[in-house]
Amino acid sequence: MSIGSEPAPSAAMEGSWGQDSASVRTQEACHPIGQAPDPIRPASLLDYVPHYVEIGDLGRGNFGLVLRALDTRPTSQSPEVAIKMLPRGEFIRNYKTYVKREIVHQSSLRHPSIIRLREVFMTPTHIGVVMDCANGGDLHAYITRRPAMRLCEEEARWFFQQLVVGLDYCHSRGVANRDLKLENLLLDSADSPRPILKMCDFGYSKHELNSLPKTSVGTTCYMAPEVYLGYTTYDAKVADIWSLGIILFAMLFGAFPFKGRDKRYIQAVLLGRYAIPPDVQVSSGVMHLLSLMLVPEPSCRCELSAIIHHPWFLQDLPAGAFEMNARLLAEKLQLEDVPYRVNRLVDMAQRLGDAREPVTFVRL
């Protein structure tokens, strides 16, 4: 299955992830960005939040329409922003858990490889999640623009190193992503010879201080076997390692490792049976690393520390990457009241507001 194609959903994948919180996000296969219900598009951000000037659309995330805008306030150091617009009412009632998680978890992650959230506002019709804007598109689009629809090993390593350093920071903060995929990896520029990668969309993330994950969420072709099969509980950080392996494979070969549909797909995943395209030559080092990550049994899958110390990963790793993580982890974040304020705002957004209702802001 190439990364530019979309597999048909199997019988085990039937149903929309929006049916209930335990449903697999199955209508979103491998390529489309999100499949949330079509949000009502606001007429203009100027209606309620005049300091944001809309300049275009960026597409859709997991939970809503994303707009490009300018923050015209003189205190704004970087005026261009992305704003995810989430319609109040039924949409928030159905997805409030995921909306809260995305805002609370992502606001606690301050790292160059993670999109920074700036603030959240609530108008009478929408919640707006304001974040830094990445102008280079996503990694899936970046790869599919290449003539061979894949990356050379050196470039794949550059992106993979950034992703692993960022994920190491997330896991150290106690947050597992649970929806790592090419479409959720944004780039600061599509034209730079060395684009900076940034993770986004933490709606399905899980914090280790909460209960163990029980729900099958994520995107099918990136989903670890234990998630796909609906294990009663599983380690979300270990499931992230499987997704790392899928991403690295897709970057190198322009295809996803496991073939087939329905039972044949499940059988290939459970056996860890993947074929290497014969026309692509890669090093034995990266093949060894893939063999450590794409292990169906979670208890036998490698830990993130094994990836970090692997010779293939360490080659040409920018100096000071993990020292930077240590410094960032040592910083105290002034976010003690954010979970309470975000929970309160999202709870209020379960109903539509009155046109006279003032806009509420939560600075992150």
Side-chain angles (χ1 to χ4, degrees), residues 280-331:
V280 183
Q281 299 298 314
V282 297
S283 68
S284 59
V286 74
M287 290 304 301
H288 179 255
L289 181 56
L290 284 169
S291 73
L292 299 179
M293 293 185 287
L294 296 178
V295 176
E297 173 53 49
S299 62
C300 298
R301 198 174 303 148
C302 73
E303 297 181 352
L304 196 58
S305 59
I307 300 173
I308 290 169
H309 292 97
H310 195 279
W312 184 87
F313 176 84
L314 290 171
Q315 184 176 336
D316 300 322
L317 179 70
F322 290 100
E323 289 78 5
M324 174 189 67
N325 276 6
R327 289 195 304 272
L328 293 172
L329 290 166
E331 293 179 0

Side-chain angles (χ1 to χ4, degrees), residues 40-271:
I40 301 171
R41 196 188 190 293
S44 171
L45 288 177
L46 289 173
D47 288 350
Y48 296 107
V49 194
H51 59 264
Y52 288 122
V53 178
E54 181 184 342
I55 57 175
D57 291 355
L58 288 170
R60 298 187 187 280
N62 282 338
F63 299 115
L65 176 68
V66 184
L67 305 178
R68 188 193 301 268
L70 293 177
D71 185 347
T72 62
R73 290 173 291 189
T75 55
S76 177
Q77 296 181 348
S78 179
E80 190 167 350
V81 297
I83 305 179
K84 185 179 293 186
M85 300 299 292
L86 310 175
R88 289 179 60 169
E90 183 180 4
F91 181 89
I92 297 296
R93 287 196 297 274
N94 288 339
Y95 305 116
K96 63 179 180 180
T97 298
Y98 300 115
V99 173
K100 290 176 180 179
R101 281 180 186 169
E102 175 162 28
I103 299 170
V104 171
H105 291 172
Q106 196 168 342
S107 67
S108 71
L109 302 173
R110 305 291 175 87
H111 193 276
S113 294
I114 301 169
I115 288 289
R116 170 82 176 264
L117 298 192
R118 297 188 181 189
E119 69 179 353
V120 182
F121 61 79
M122 183 175 66
T123 74
T125 59
H126 286 77
I127 287 178
V129 184
V130 185
M131 63 195 82
D132 288 346
C133 187
N135 288 310
D138 63 66
L139 188 54
H140 182 281
Y142 182 85
I143 295 172
T144 55
R145 285 195 297 268
R146 297 302 180 86
M149 294 182 67
R150 58 180 173 81
L151 304 179
C152 69
E153 191 168 331
E154 180 183 2
E155 191 171 16
R157 175 164 36 226
W158 165 251
F159 287 123
F160 188 73
Q161 287 171 335
Q162 294 181 74
L163 176 56
V164 169
V165 171
L167 189 64
D168 173 66
Y169 172 85
C170 290
H171 285 189
S172 298
R173 283 278 187 213
V175 177
N177 184 283
R178 295 206 298 172
D179 196 21
L180 291 172
K181 58 181 179 179
L182 295 171
E183 294 88 343
N184 282 349
L185 304 176
L186 305 182
L187 306 178
D188 70 332
S189 169
D191 302 321
S192 168
R194 289 274 186 167
I196 302 301
L197 177 147
K198 294 179 179 290
M199 288 184 275
C200 70
D201 276 347
F202 281 76
Y204 292 111
S205 59
K206 190 76 173 177
H207 198 285
E208 62 188 14
L209 295 180
N210 302 132
S211 62
L212 286 172
K214 307 175 184 67
T215 52
S216 295
V217 297
T219 305
T220 304
C221 56
Y222 297 90
M223 195 181 289
E226 63 270 24
V227 182
Y228 187 89
L229 294 175
Y231 279 25
T232 304
T233 59
Y234 60 90
D235 187 327
K237 293 181 181 179
V238 175
D240 277 350
I241 301 300
W242 176 275
S243 301
L244 283 180
I246 300 292
I247 289 169
L248 180 57
F249 190 102
M251 287 194 293
L252 291 167
F253 300 110
F256 293 103
F258 300 102
K259 315 296 182 184
R261 295 182 178 179
D262 304 320
K263 292 181 179 179
R264 284 178 295 176
Y265 176 80
I266 298 172
Q267 185 179 40
V269 168
L270 293 180
L271 293 175

